[in-house]
Amino acid sequence: MAGGARLYPVAAAPGDTAWVMGGNLGERGTLWVGGQATAFVRDPASGWLAFQVPKTAAGGPQFISAQGPGQRSALVLNVLPAEAAAQDVVAYVAPSTLKTVQQEYAERLRRLSSNCQKTCPQQVRAVIDRLAALGVPSFTPLASAGTGQRVASSPLTMSPSTAVLTPQVLQNLDLQRLVPSAVPARSASSFCTSLAGIFPTAGLPTGQVLTVLGLLFGPDMQVDPTTYGHPVQADAPYKNGQPTALLNKFIGLKGGNGKGVTVHVLDTATASADDYVFHASGSSGPAMYYSTPVEGRPLHGQAVGQLVRAVAPNASLSYKQVCDRDGNCATLKVAQALCAVAAEARRGGRHVVNLSAGGPYPTVGVQLALREVAAAGVPTAAAYGNRDDCAGLGKGDRCWHFPADWTKDFEFGPGIALGSTTLRQTMLFSVAGWDIATGQMATYNRGTGTPGVTALAPSVQAPGEFWLGGWPYFGTSFAAPVVSGVLANWMTCKSGVPLLPLVTAPGQQPLLPATVNACP
């Protein structure tokens, strides 16, 4: 594929049509979206190469290649979740640019439509014309955060795997040297002072809407699909065992504290209720836990909160409901909740965010809001994602889960060399599940059982199998609050955040006891 080839749109859902402009691929042939093959044919009117995003395409950023499955290329398509194929779009604009958006929206679309008449496929022209008829929605403040300097944002990067600690490296581990107290300098808000609005575009291809709005306004308008992701649960020995007893047994927890620290649980729960009920989907039937069907399991956010308390019993919990009873999480609600945490942290106190949810699409609003949270000195524990996130994928596909896969973009401070590995602190922890039955990385983690599928490594492991109220709760959703509790315990008496390395050696505890019990 020629170096001058371009992709339109930059995001698309499975089943959507997308196009390659330029290139030297001929009139028809085969492309690969990650590891999935699809036919292309040249559109006679525009000369663009049209292809359909495979129904089985992996979510998130996938390479578009003519050379074979999974080959790196300059063309990357953000594959939307299937449910985001035709949904509304959330947009963020700075107050200073709102007037420009309102006054120039129609004219910029008119010019784009005019330029497209002889050069674009008919389907693209139709979307542009329908967008022009919608007009600009009303915008309201995203959050009541303060004003100040912009928080720098870096683009999504294809980061190398996180360093893994072997038994030899562990023997040389100097804990005190690995936990410097520095944290990123606190910064005032910028993104969280934005205005947010919903473009009612349901029925139009979401990816094309995202792309057109980006073409119209560039950095003056950030856009996302309205659906953010889902809570992540997977397929616990020690039936009805108390979480605190299990955590004492497997990570050496001596009681925990968390006094003076607020853990913000962004999930399905409010402070007093959680109407989420797990319902299995697909032809495989209900999730199985040690050959026992698990269907109708209640709660998610409340269970996450209970596990935080099991580790840090004196921490305060602040529930922020960002996902509905069906487990659908709203992009705007997640961004608003994160901005509220950042604003609270700037007023004082010690805070931790737990986000046991996520999805394959790298939503810009969530990333920018997380940057403000980190700049306010608040660490986040995010679920790494479970094996079902990669279901149906094959060789050449990349299996993503955000925000967990942004962890390296939130690293700071100098690297610390340990043998052949280099460790760095982060304000965003990607938490995988550790199987308390086998004493090693759990098989329900994303990337296991899917040969040929690539996924970034997590940054830390924690036990993720518990019984609460007679129900088994297992998966990276329930490993993340263990780390949130550990962070709260640490912050009770220490400044900054601890370094939590990824320990994968069988027989080794996944979290260092000296960190788990850092405070009395």
Side-chain angles (χ1 to χ4, degrees):
M1 195 179 299
R6 292 177 295 158
L7 192 65
Y8 182 93
V10 295
D16 282 356
T17 299
W19 294 266
V20 174
M21 297 173 280
N24 55 355
L25 296 180
E27 297 300 307
R28 60 182 67 243
T30 302
L31 291 174
W32 278 265
V33 180
Q36 312 294 316
T38 184
F40 73 82
V41 63
R42 191 173 298 277
D43 175 61
S46 64
W48 298 8
L49 303 178
F51 66 94
Q52 188 178 67
V53 181
K55 295 284 189 180
T56 55
Q62 304 294 330
F63 291 118
I64 307 298
S65 171
Q67 283 70 50
Q71 295 296 310
R72 297 181 70 92
S73 78
L75 300 183
V76 177
L77 179 70
N78 266 316
V79 180
L80 292 157
E83 63 267 24
Q87 64 173 218
D88 295 343
V89 166
V90 57
Y92 313 95
V93 299
S96 59
T97 62
L98 177 61
K99 190 173 182 179
T100 298
V101 170
Q102 292 172 326
Q103 292 180 342
E104 298 189 16
Y105 175 82
E107 175 58 21
R108 292 190 187 189
L109 272 170
R110 187 196 65 76
R111 292 201 302 267
L112 181 60
S113 177
S114 177
N115 293 336
C116 232
Q117 285 304 310
K118 295 181 180 180
T119 60
C120 302
Q122 190 278 331
Q123 183 182 343
V124 175
R125 299 198 303 269
V127 170
I128 294 172
D129 291 343
R130 288 180 61 187
L131 270 177
L134 289 175
V136 180
S138 60
F139 281 80
T140 57
L142 178 63
S144 56
T147 59
Q149 297 180 344
R150 175 172 293 276
V151 179
S153 171
S154 65
L156 174 69
T157 57
M158 307 291 277
S159 304
S161 297
T162 302
V164 175
L165 294 190
T166 64
Q168 291 73 28
V169 173
L170 281 168
Q171 291 173 3
N172 300 319
L173 195 63
D174 182 347
L175 180 69
Q176 296 306 313
R177 188 165 59 89
L178 291 180
V179 288
S181 60
V183 296
R186 293 189 178 222
S187 174
S189 171
S190 176
F191 170 73
C192 289
T193 62
S194 299
L195 305 173
I198 302 291
F199 279 86
T201 58
L204 294 177
T206 304
Q208 287 200 51
V209 174
L210 294 171
T211 303
V212 170
L213 293 176
L215 287 171
L216 290 181
F217 295 103
D220 288 339
M221 179 186 289
Q222 305 289 350
V223 286
D224 281 321
T226 52
T227 297
Y228 166 63
H230 304 276
V232 286
Q233 302 190 89
D235 285 328
Y238 303 94
K239 185 172 183 179
N240 295 326
Q242 292 297 313
T244 49
L246 295 179
L247 292 167
N248 173 268
K249 178 180 178 70
F250 293 108
I251 64 172
L253 179 68
K254 300 303 182 184
N257 198 328
K259 184 177 181 180
V261 181
T262 300
V263 179
H264 302 267
V265 178
L266 278 59
D267 215 290
T268 62
T270 66
S272 59
D274 188 349
D275 59 1
Y276 174 85
V277 178
F278 171 78
H279 293 295
S281 60
S283 59
S284 60
M288 303 297 289
Y289 175 70
Y290 287 82
S291 302
T292 301
V294 181
E295 173 69 20
R297 176 178 47 197
L299 314 180
H300 188 274
Q302 294 286 349
V304 167
Q306 288 181 55
L307 293 173
V308 172
R309 276 274 168 77
V311 183
N314 296 322
S316 298
L317 292 181
S318 176
Y319 290 97
K320 292 175 171 58
Q321 187 173 14
V322 298
C323 311
D324 64 22
R325 62 179 301 164
D326 297 318
N328 297 309
C329 307
T331 306
L332 182 54
K333 286 185 176 181
V334 175
Q336 287 173 323
L338 290 170
C339 284
V341 173
E344 186 174 341
R346 285 191 290 270
R347 291 192 293 268
R350 290 162 287 175
H351 304 265
V352 175
V353 168
N354 189 94
L355 192 48
S356 291
Y361 189 83
T363 45
V364 64
V366 173
Q367 186 189 47
L368 293 175
L370 278 168
R371 288 195 176 281
E372 298 218 11
V373 166
V378 180
T380 296
Y384 175 64
N386 298 334
R387 186 169 62 183
D388 55 0
D389 292 327
C390 310
L393 305 188
K395 181 180 179 181
D397 288 328
R398 298 183 68 84
C399 186
W400 296 95
H401 194 79
F402 298 101
D405 282 349
W406 284 319
T407 181
K408 293 191 71 64
D409 295 327
F410 284 74
E411 290 182 341
F412 68 97
I416 300 170
L418 281 175
S420 60
T421 66
T422 299
L423 305 177
R424 297 186 71 196
Q425 289 177 288
T426 184
M427 295 298 286
L428 174 61
F429 296 89
S430 169
V431 187
W434 184 78
D435 192 330
I436 62 176
T438 63
Q440 58 188 342
M441 184 172 278
T443 58
Y444 56 69
N445 283 305
R446 173 167 54 103
T448 62
T450 50
V453 174
T454 56
L456 298 185
S459 56
V460 65
Q461 284 192 91
E465 305 170 52
F466 301 95
W467 286 82
L468 299 168
W471 289 92
Y473 291 84
F474 45 88
T476 60
S477 263
F478 308 109
V482 174
V483 170
S484 292
V486 168
L487 292 171
N489 285 343
W490 173 275
M491 295 169 73
T492 298
C493 68
K494 295 182 178 293
S495 60
V497 294
L499 188 145
L500 297 177
L502 179 62
V503 180
T504 59
Q508 297 283 348
Q509 292 180 330
L511 296 168
L512 303 176
T515 302
V516 173
N517 302 300
C519 297

